[in-house]
Structures are given as C-alpha cells and as structure tokens.
C-alpha cells in the first residue's frame, strides 16, 4: 500500500502542485483581495458594489455573453461538421486534417497579428472582395463588424483543436451499431441522429465545456486588434479586467471582476453539465 501511494505521489504530485500553485492559489488570492476595501483595508463587498454599478463593466458582461452565445455553438457546429467530413474515407485525409489543425500550432497572439494585416482596409481580404466586385469592409474598425471579426479569428484557431476530440469520438463508435441500423433501413440522417449523436455525447460534453471556458478567457485578439473598441463593441470581460488593473490602476475592481467571471463560468458550466446529463450522459 505504501509503495502504491509513493507511486501515486510521484506521478500525480507535479501535476497537483501545478494546479495548486497556478490555478487554486491565484483564485483564492483573487477572492481574498476582492473582499478587501481599498480605502479602509477591511473586509466588505464595496468592490463588488462598485463594479456592479459601473456601466462599463455591465456593458462588457453583455458583450461577453453575446460573444459566448454566438461563438460556442458556431465553433462546435463547424468542428462537428469537419470531424464528420475528415472521418470519411476521403483521398489525402491526413493532409486535410493537418491543414485544419495547423492554426492550433500558431499562438493566438500571432494569429491576431496575421488576421490584423489580412483585415486591414488595404489588406488582402478587402483586395479579394474588391476583385469580386464587393466594396471594402471596415472589419475591426467598425462597431458593427468588429465582434464578428474577433469571432472569425478565434474560431479559425479553435475549430481544428475541438475537431480532433470529435474525430477520436467518432472512431470509437462501433461499426456494428451502423450495421444494425442499416438493416432497419435507416438513411444517413437517421444514422447521425440515432447512432452518431448519442455516441458522441461524452466528447461533445467535454468540447462544449472546455470551449465555453476558453472563450470566456479570450484576450489576445481583442487586446492586439481592437483594445475593446470601437465603441466598446469588443470589450470582452478579460479586456475589461486588464483595463481595470493596468490602465486605471484599480486592482481591487479587477479582482472583484475576476471573481464574478469565475462565478459566471462555473454557473454556465454547471448548467451545461446538467443539461447534458438530462440528455443521457452520466
């Protein structure tokens, strides 16, 4: 028994230590500092009362929720479609998977810089639109298009990564299930509806939860391309926390905003787990 515990400690110890130092300790520190009144130095809720009456913070929450409502289903739908496509017996399938996965190897900050050049008024994307007879678009400089441009950049990086988990899930589905439903005369949609989708619930749950958390923490593309503008149309909550901490020099509000972000993410992830469990995942 002692040897078993030693082996567990050797293998899990470094990972648990990293989780404690890099995840749990900052979270505990944020909760502690968010409860400290910056003037009196006593515990209280003044930081929360301040940010919850701050129009800028409320607006950033609304933008973040709108961003999440759009980007999460969009990325999962595209990732699932790509997984189904690349799981089929296509020629050069390894090459297609590599090309789709390639953006994952590029840091999000580098992707943002590349897309920033591509979406400039005189950039190649507008050049292509002009060649097709379409007028140049303002993309990241327009309040109406900036958030969509951020969604495009984040999705370009993310869908290939999430696709890999869904491809792995598809390859774990027993062929016998498809053979059985074919005997019953099922068409392609019925195979997807009654075999593929139920068998993919576990990887889909993981992708849904991990994707949601990742998109709540999007920061680099916003900071590099728009800095929350124009007109706060891309002021996601991570950008707002950065502004509070490093532009306004108000770490107390930044800590409180971070705790609210954690509560929001935990609540949404908990709701997602509950909904997926109702669908059959245990």
């Amino acid at each position: 028994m002692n040897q078993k515990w030693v082996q567990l400690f050797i293998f899990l110890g470094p990972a648990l230590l990293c989780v404690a130092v890099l995840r749990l300790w900052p979270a505990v520190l944020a909760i502690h500092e968010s409860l400290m009144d910056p003037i009196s130095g006593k515990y209280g809720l003044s930081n929360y009362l301040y940010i919850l009456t701050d129009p800028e913070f409320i607006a950033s929450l609304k933008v973040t929720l709108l961003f999440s409502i759009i980007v999460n289903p969009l990325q999962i739908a595209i990732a699932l479609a790509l997984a189904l496509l690349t799981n089929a017996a296509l020629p050069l399938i390894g090459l297609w998977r590599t090309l789709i996965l390639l953006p994952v190897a590029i840091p999000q900050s580098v992707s943002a810089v590349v897309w920033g050049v591509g979406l400039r008024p005189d950039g190649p994307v507008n050049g292509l639109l002009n060649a097709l007879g379409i007028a140049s678009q303002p993309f990241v400089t327009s309040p109406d298009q900036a958030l969509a441009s951020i969604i495009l950049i984040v999705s370009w990086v993310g869908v290939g990564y999430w696709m890999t988990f869904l491809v792995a899930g598809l390859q774990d589905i027993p062929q016998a299930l498809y053979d059985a439903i074919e005997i019953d005369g099922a068409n392609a949609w019925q195979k997807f509806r009654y075999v593929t989708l139920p068998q993919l619930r576990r990887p889909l749950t993981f992708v849904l939860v991990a994707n949601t958390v990742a998109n709540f923490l999007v920061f680099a593309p916003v900071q590099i391309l728009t800095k929350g503008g124009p007109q706060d149309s891309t002021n996601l909550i991570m950008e707002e926390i950065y502004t509070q901490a490093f532009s306004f020099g108000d770490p107390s509000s930044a800590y409180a905003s971070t705790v609210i972000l954690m509560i929001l993410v935990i609540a949404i992830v908990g709701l997602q787990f509950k909904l997926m469990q109702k669908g059959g995942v245990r």
Side-chain angles (χ1 to χ4, degrees), residues 54-127:
D54 180 7
E56 288 287 332
F57 179 74
I58 299 300
S60 76
L61 270 182
K62 292 178 180 176
V63 172
T64 304
L65 290 174
L66 175 64
F67 172 78
S68 297
I69 288 171
I70 296 173
V71 76
N72 291 322
L74 177 68
Q75 288 187 353
I76 292 173
I78 296 174
L80 179 58
L82 290 173
L84 292 169
L85 190 63
T86 57
N87 194 50
L90 296 177
L92 302 175
I93 192 62
L95 174 63
W96 299 122
R97 286 178 183 167
T98 302
L99 290 175
I100 294 170
L101 193 59
L102 198 58
V104 179
I106 303 172
Q108 211 172 53
S109 55
V110 177
S111 298
V113 172
V114 172
W115 275 101
V117 174
L119 297 176
R120 285 171 47 178
D122 58 348
V125 176
N126 271 322

Side-chain angles (χ1 to χ4, degrees), residues 141-156:
T141 58
S142 163
D144 297 326
Q145 297 184 15
L147 188 62
S149 300
I150 296 295
I151 289 172
L152 170 68
I153 296 167
V154 172
S155 299
W156 183 72

